Protein backbone atom coordinates (compact mmCIF):
# COMPACT_ATOMS: atom_id res chain seq x y z
CA UNK A 1 0.00 0.00 0.00
CA UNK A 2 1.34 3.41 -0.97
CA UNK A 3 0.30 6.69 0.68
CA UNK A 4 0.07 9.83 -1.45
CA UNK A 5 -0.73 13.43 -0.49
CA UNK A 6 -4.10 15.02 -1.22
CA UNK A 7 -4.25 16.66 -4.68
CA UNK A 8 -4.11 20.45 -4.99
CA UNK A 9 -7.47 22.18 -5.45
CA UNK A 10 -6.52 23.17 -9.02
CA UNK A 11 -6.79 19.51 -10.09
CA UNK A 12 -10.47 19.31 -9.20
CA UNK A 13 -12.46 19.13 -12.46
CA UNK A 14 -14.82 21.84 -11.16
CA UNK A 15 -11.96 24.28 -10.59
CA UNK A 16 -11.78 27.13 -13.11
CA UNK A 17 -8.05 27.86 -12.90
CA UNK A 18 -6.17 28.96 -16.00
CA UNK A 19 -5.01 25.96 -18.00
CA UNK A 20 -1.32 26.92 -17.57
CA UNK A 21 -1.71 26.78 -13.80
CA UNK A 22 -3.64 23.51 -14.01
CA UNK A 23 -1.05 21.95 -16.35
CA UNK A 24 1.80 22.89 -14.02
CA UNK A 25 0.00 21.42 -11.00
CA UNK A 26 -0.73 18.21 -12.96
CA UNK A 27 2.93 17.83 -13.91
CA UNK A 28 4.09 18.35 -10.32
CA UNK A 29 1.49 15.92 -8.95
CA UNK A 30 2.36 13.29 -11.56
CA UNK A 31 6.04 13.63 -10.68
CA UNK A 32 5.25 13.34 -6.96
CA UNK A 33 3.35 10.08 -7.46
CA UNK A 34 6.10 8.77 -9.75
CA UNK A 35 8.84 9.25 -7.15
CA UNK A 36 6.69 8.09 -4.24
CA UNK A 37 5.96 4.87 -6.15
CA UNK A 38 9.65 4.42 -6.97
CA UNK A 39 10.54 4.84 -3.27
CA UNK A 40 7.96 2.19 -2.33
CA UNK A 41 10.13 -0.30 -4.27
CA UNK A 42 7.22 -2.36 -5.63
CA UNK A 43 8.30 -5.33 -7.71
CA UNK A 44 7.06 -5.38 -11.29
CA UNK A 45 4.22 -7.78 -11.83
CA UNK A 46 0.97 -8.55 -13.58
CA UNK A 47 -1.26 -6.05 -11.79
CA UNK A 48 -5.01 -6.30 -12.36
CA UNK A 49 -6.67 -4.69 -9.34
CA UNK A 50 -6.41 -1.22 -7.87
CA UNK A 51 -7.88 -0.17 -4.54
CA UNK A 52 -8.03 3.56 -3.75
CA UNK A 53 -9.02 4.95 -0.35
CA UNK A 54 -9.52 8.69 0.07
CA UNK A 55 -8.90 10.23 3.48
CA UNK A 56 -10.45 13.68 3.08
CA UNK A 57 -8.64 16.72 4.48
CA UNK A 58 -11.82 17.95 6.22
CA UNK A 59 -15.42 16.93 6.88
CA UNK A 60 -16.88 18.86 3.95
CA UNK A 61 -18.94 16.88 1.47
CA UNK A 62 -16.95 15.87 -1.62
CA UNK A 63 -17.99 14.10 -4.77
CA UNK A 64 -16.31 10.70 -5.24
CA UNK A 65 -16.03 10.94 -9.02
CA UNK A 66 -14.39 14.37 -8.73
CA UNK A 67 -11.89 12.99 -6.23
CA UNK A 68 -10.99 10.24 -8.68
CA UNK A 69 -10.67 12.74 -11.54
CA UNK A 70 -8.40 14.89 -9.36
CA UNK A 71 -5.83 12.11 -9.02
CA UNK A 72 -5.76 11.07 -12.69
CA UNK A 73 -2.36 12.66 -13.32
CA UNK A 74 -1.07 11.00 -10.16
CA UNK A 75 -2.26 7.60 -11.32
CA UNK A 76 -0.45 8.19 -14.61
CA UNK A 77 2.75 8.91 -12.68
CA UNK A 78 2.32 5.76 -10.58
CA UNK A 79 1.79 3.61 -13.66
CA UNK A 80 4.80 5.21 -15.32
CA UNK A 81 6.95 4.26 -12.32
CA UNK A 82 5.65 0.68 -12.43
CA UNK A 83 6.15 0.59 -16.22
CA UNK A 84 2.56 -0.48 -16.84
CA UNK A 85 -0.39 1.00 -18.70
CA UNK A 86 -3.35 2.06 -16.57
CA UNK A 87 -5.72 0.20 -18.87
CA UNK A 88 -4.37 -3.11 -17.49
CA UNK A 89 -6.52 -2.66 -14.38
CA UNK A 90 -9.69 -4.72 -14.71
CA UNK A 91 -11.06 -3.91 -11.25
CA UNK A 92 -10.83 -0.57 -9.45
CA UNK A 93 -12.25 -0.15 -5.96
CA UNK A 94 -12.77 3.41 -4.70
CA UNK A 95 -13.87 4.35 -1.21
CA UNK A 96 -13.91 7.26 1.21
CA UNK A 97 -12.56 6.58 4.69
CA UNK A 98 -14.47 7.71 7.76
CA UNK A 99 -11.41 9.42 9.23
CA UNK A 100 -9.82 12.70 8.19
CA UNK A 101 -6.25 12.63 6.94
CA UNK A 102 -5.74 14.57 3.71
CA UNK A 103 -4.16 11.61 1.93
CA UNK A 104 -4.83 8.84 -0.54
CA UNK A 105 -3.87 5.22 0.01
CA UNK A 106 -3.47 3.03 -3.04
CA UNK A 107 -3.11 -0.75 -3.02
CA UNK A 108 -2.06 -2.53 -6.19
CA UNK A 109 -2.81 -6.23 -6.59
Amino acid sequence: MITFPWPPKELNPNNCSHYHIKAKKKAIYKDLWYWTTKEANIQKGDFRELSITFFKPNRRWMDLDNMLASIKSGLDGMCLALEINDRCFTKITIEIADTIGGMIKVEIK
Side-chain angles (χ1 to χ4, degrees):
M1 184 170 291
I2 310 170
T3 303
F4 299 102
W6 194 259
K9 66 180 183 213
E10 291 85 3
L11 297 187
N12 188 308
N14 293 334
N15 188 285
C16 297
S17 296
H18 192 272
Y19 68 92
H20 284 158
I21 295 169
K22 205 170 234 188
K24 187 173 184 176
K25 294 287 183 176
K26 281 183 182 181
I28 292 169
Y29 201 59
K30 181 179 180 178
D31 196 45
L32 179 68
W33 277 52
Y34 175 86
W35 289 111
T36 305
T37 303
K38 283 288 192 185
E39 287 176 2
N41 201 20
I42 295 175
Q43 300 297 320
K44 295 177 187 165
D46 187 28
F47 302 114
R48 295 283 177 226
E49 293 183 31
L50 186 65
S51 178
I52 304 168
T53 306
F54 291 96
F55 292 83
K56 300 188 306 183
N58 51 44
R59 296 245 180 244
R60 289 188 346 201
W61 184 85
M62 294 181 186
D63 202 9
L64 187 60
D65 61 332
N66 286 343
M67 285 190 274
L68 180 61
S70 296
I71 65 166
K72 176 63 176 123
S73 59
L75 289 172
D76 290 341
M78 181 187 72
C79 290
L80 185 64
L82 296 172
E83 298 178 9
I84 59 173
N85 194 316
D86 57 357
R87 67 179 159 190
C88 76
F89 297 117
T90 55
K91 181 179 179 183
I92 300 175
T93 307
I94 308 164
E95 61 183 309
I96 300 172
D98 293 333
T99 58
I100 294 175
M103 63 185 161
I104 299 141
K105 292 193 177 191
V106 177
E107 186 176 359
I108 307 162
K109 303 172 194 170

